[in-house]
Amino acid sequence: MDFNSGSGGGGNELHNNQFYQCEENKPLLGEMSEGNNNTKLGAGPCKRSLNHCGSSGMRYKLLHEGDIQVCVVKHPRTFLSKILTSKFLRRWEPHHLTLTDSSLTSATPTGYMETSLSYSSIEDLQLLSWDNAPKYCVQLSFPGGTVLLQAANSYLRDQWFHSLQWKKKIYKYRKVLNNPSRWDVVLKEIRALVDMALTSPLQDESIHQAPLHIISTLLAENSNLSTQDHENIIVAIAPLLENNHPPPDLCEFFCKHCRERPRSMVVIEVFTPVVQRILKHNMDFGKCPRLRLFTQEYILALNELNAGMEVVKKFVHSMHGPTGQCPHPRVLPNLVAVCLAAIYSCYEEFINSRDNSPSLKEIRNGCQQQNDRKPTMPLRLLRPDPPQLSPSNPAPSIPISTPSLEILVELERNNNSANIKRKGGPSGSDSEPNLIDCLLVSPAVNTLSIQLPAPADRVLGCFALILKMLSDYDDWRPALASLLQPIPFPKEALAHAKFTKELKYVIQRFAEDPRQEVHSCLLSVRSGKDGWFQLYSPGGVACDDDGELFASMVHILMGSCYKTKKFLLSLAENKLGPCMLLALRGNQTMVEILCLMLEYNIIENKDTQLQIISTLESTQVGLRMYEQLCDRQRELKELQRKGGPTRLTLPSKSTDADLARLLSSGSFGNLENLSLAFTNVTSACAEQLIKLPSLKQLNLWSTQFGDAGLRLLSEHLACLQVLNLCETPVTDAGLLALSSMKSLCSLNMNSTKLTADTYEDLKAKLPNLKDVDVRYTEAW
């Protein structure tokens, strides 16, 4: 049946009674609901229901498809046709209907629904409730007849009605706004579209997203609009953005506005709540990178205001909130993601010029072919304080790294030269020199840096300062340290003096934080990869303070749970020279490090040991601590001398000081069994316990002995066989260290914070473990 054909004639009684009001003649600004209107359809009396979307408070899910009964009634022209279309002879057909963007279609195109019903052909849409039968119908009038949709109940009927009404309206708006004529009229239509979306009883993501996509398409196809038109449209759609992310095309439009008019009031009044919602609720910028780009441009627009970074600081504070704990867990990761992407974008052209790969901007603009790419903006390598030129001291030549230029790098210092050459263009056989390789050839060129264009330099400074702001919040610092632990910055940025100076403040905050989960992130993520600890150590690419920050990092790490052989061995292998230099300058932390290396026999080479002793004796603080070390060594020899008891039990309520006093009173070389159960000892007593070479059984039941003590025991008491940790505050972090104590055969972890995974790991790594107590733990 053709729904789009005309009916002709003045014999149409339904038209004469004005039952159908053609919506094509109604303005789009009209109300979605209609007034009461009593009439007849064939022989059946009916009454029209009131439709006020917000009056009942009912909410419906937008239908895209569903099963429903369908009946089509042609307009009666004769008495016989009236009889045939009466309700007693009416035939209903079951159909599975789909609400597409442009029409109502059946999955089985037969009978009444042989052809699709276009939304443009629907003249009126009504809710009908019959008097004589419990049927719930939606009436769709089209030229020449009426389609009745019968639902099982009133809720489904209303759901079909609102869904069809929404599809019809959005189809009309899309059609009208795709061909704009007068922009004052277009603006009114946009406001009506927004109002329709806000007042609709339908609850679905597309209810707000569809108008936004229509408007973004309109803006993309009409890029020559005036600035005032742009702002008027942004203000008009602002209510839709309160609870919805802008689509990608609209993000591009917002980015352009932020760049061209950063001081516009639209940025503060409209974009601020949008960006706040993005930062609070966005889960993955990878799925919509333009949201991140819009957030980045918004922050840069704030930085262009008169107050500059003060406005940005207030914005960051508003995202954190006034309390000590930010209530939105996604804000920090999203802010960090924006900062990292912005910092990378400053060096993007330079990085891509080395491998001649298309940049993100080029990929976004569809320019992926090598011959389509424009030459990159040259970034110059500069030395802040160039040496005086002379025949005996020629200046090294550093090229501009562009694909089409000849490359020649010559670096000479102290008769050691490194020559890197690349001739010809991109098709040359020799490889292009790497900037970081150039920087690390010798200390003479460590001061080289890339001179960024002024706009990129402002971007770099802005987002480096934001990282500083983030590090000032105590509750954000652990997560921030974890996010920055892999050093997620371009290598070129780490050669930028201003950037590393700002970043140094962040690392300093990590080094000053007493929480282990914060300062442990100063170390590398895995072995073989440098971390902040190596980067800011003397000789590191970012060190500019003769090792002051490095000493602070060592101090905090040694003061928590890193006073271990492994950490000291790492320092001895990689940073012994800087440690000795700082100790020679009187740094107390480095003096303590050298003393511990001697005390734990970390240094095996005799000449190196003598050099360390000479370094310690060269300063007053070093001499004092070395003399204390010698006294401890003499006491240790006396303590470990054969003799004394084999079993020892301390009285309850004993402390760490009591244990130290007892062990300093005689020889305990034969002590094999020590019970500290129900005492007040803590992890600090581990310093005394590791002095007992024959200790095989240790009872720490109901003490405050924690993870730090377990780490120390695991490195020094390799012969320990029995360990009781019942009702101690140890966690997985400390229990995992026990995996190196291969002699353990009995382990009591009753009532600890042991987890099942750690328990399985210990069983796999401790082959001699036979007696284990894990009652009242997660592993039980």
Side-chain angles (χ1 to χ4, degrees), residues 41-99:
L41 179 61
C46 68
K47 57 183 178 181
R48 182 177 303 173
S49 302
L50 288 172
N51 175 29
H52 296 292
C53 298
S55 59
S56 64
M58 294 293 290
R59 292 293 180 266
Y60 309 91
K61 182 175 176 60
L62 177 65
L63 280 175
H64 297 284
E65 58 180 336
D67 295 318
I68 198 166
Q69 297 288 323
V70 180
C71 178
V72 175
V73 180
K74 289 187 175 181
H75 294 161
R77 299 183 181 87
T78 64
F79 179 76
L80 178 62
S81 65
K82 289 183 179 182
I83 296 176
L84 294 176
T85 58
S86 68
K87 67 177 182 178
F88 302 105
L89 299 179
R90 196 169 295 131
R91 179 170 58 91
W92 293 89
E93 294 179 354
H95 282 273
H96 185 85
L97 300 183
T98 301
L99 285 74

Side-chain angles (χ1 to χ4, degrees), residues 102-405:
S102 59
S103 63
L104 185 64
T105 308
S106 174
T108 55
T110 58
Y112 292 145
M113 298 301 297
E114 183 177 358
T115 59
S116 300
L117 178 60
S118 172
Y119 297 140
S120 61
S121 66
I122 299 176
E123 297 177 340
D124 196 13
L125 203 60
Q126 304 292 339
L127 288 176
L128 300 178
S129 59
W130 296 88
D131 289 336
N132 301 327
K135 295 181 179 180
Y136 303 95
C137 292
V138 177
Q139 172 190 308
L140 287 70
S141 59
F142 64 94
T146 299
V147 177
L148 298 179
L149 304 180
Q150 179 179 297
N153 53 55
S154 61
Y155 182 85
L156 284 176
R157 178 201 63 187
D158 292 348
Q159 188 178 17
W160 274 96
F161 171 74
H162 291 300
S163 298
L164 283 167
Q165 194 176 45
W166 168 261
K167 289 285 187 178
K168 175 176 170 56
K169 288 284 188 179
I170 207 72
Y171 173 77
K172 285 188 175 183
Y173 277 112
R174 186 179 289 112
K175 190 175 180 180
V176 169
L177 294 178
N178 278 346
N179 299 287
S181 55
R182 293 171 50 193
W183 282 102
D184 54 340
V185 176
V186 168
L187 187 60
K188 292 180 181 179
E189 299 291 0
I190 289 176
R191 289 170 180 162
L193 174 62
V194 171
D195 184 65
M196 182 188 73
L198 294 175
T199 57
S200 173
L202 296 172
Q203 286 186 328
D204 192 89
E205 182 181 357
S206 62
I207 298 302
H208 288 170
Q209 286 297 325
L212 291 176
H213 280 288
I214 292 174
I215 296 168
S216 63
T217 303
L218 172 69
L219 294 172
E221 295 176 353
N222 297 272
S223 56
N224 57 345
L225 290 178
S226 67
T227 303
Q228 188 60 45
D229 288 334
H230 282 172
E231 294 190 353
N232 289 338
I233 293 175
I234 293 174
V235 172
I237 64 176
L240 285 180
L241 298 173
E242 291 180 1
N243 297 308
N244 299 274
H245 290 338
D249 291 340
L250 205 54
C251 286
E252 288 283 351
F253 175 72
F254 290 170
C255 290
K256 179 181 177 182
H257 190 84
C258 287
R259 287 190 294 266
E260 294 179 354
R261 299 203 63 191
R263 296 173 179 266
S264 168
M265 288 305 296
V266 168
V267 174
I268 300 296
E269 297 179 357
V270 179
F271 290 169
T272 296
V274 178
V275 173
Q276 287 176 334
R277 187 182 187 279
I278 292 173
L279 292 175
K280 290 177 182 178
H281 301 289
N282 178 68
M283 298 302 295
D284 185 7
F285 276 130
K287 294 180 179 179
C288 190
R290 296 187 186 182
L291 286 178
R292 176 196 52 75
L293 187 62
F294 168 48
T295 306
Q296 174 183 329
E297 294 293 346
Y298 166 79
I299 292 175
L300 292 174
L302 293 185
N303 192 34
E304 292 295 324
L305 300 178
N306 291 336
M309 288 307 298
E310 285 300 318
V311 181
V312 177
K313 185 175 182 179
K314 290 180 180 179
F315 172 74
V316 172
H317 182 71
S318 71
M319 296 306 306
H320 179 274
T323 62
Q325 190 74 25
C326 178
H328 304 285
R330 290 301 309 168
V331 169
L332 177 67
N334 286 334
L335 276 174
V336 173
V338 171
C339 291
L340 295 181
I343 292 169
Y344 178 85
S345 68
C346 297
Y347 296 92
E348 185 179 6
E349 295 291 345
F350 179 82
I351 294 171
N352 288 301
S353 69
R354 291 185 300 172
D355 57 9
N356 203 32
S357 60
S359 66
L360 294 177
K361 183 185 296 185
E362 290 171 333
I363 293 174
R364 192 164 56 241
N365 294 335
C367 174
Q368 299 188 24
Q369 299 298 325
Q370 181 173 343
N371 55 2
D372 291 338
R373 300 185 60 219
K374 297 180 181 179
T376 59
M377 182 181 297
L379 302 174
R380 293 184 295 163
L381 300 180
L382 298 180
R383 183 191 301 274
D385 297 315
Q388 296 296 325
L389 300 182
S390 65
S392 60
N393 185 25
S397 59
I398 304 294
I400 297 175
S401 178
T402 57
S404 60
L405 296 180

Side-chain angles (χ1 to χ4, degrees), residues 10-57:
N12 190 334
E13 292 182 13
L14 295 177
H15 275 271
N16 293 336
N17 292 328
Q18 297 181 350
F19 186 81
Y20 304 104
Q21 182 181 1
C22 181
E23 278 201 327
E24 294 293 343
N25 299 325
K26 293 190 297 184
L28 291 179
L29 298 178
E31 297 293 330
M32 292 180 63
S33 59
E34 308 294 340
N36 280 351
N37 204 2
N38 295 332
T39 187
K40 295 181 180 181
L41 179 61
C46 68
K47 57 183 178 181
R48 182 177 303 173
S49 302
L50 288 172
N51 175 29
H52 296 292
C53 298
S55 59
S56 64

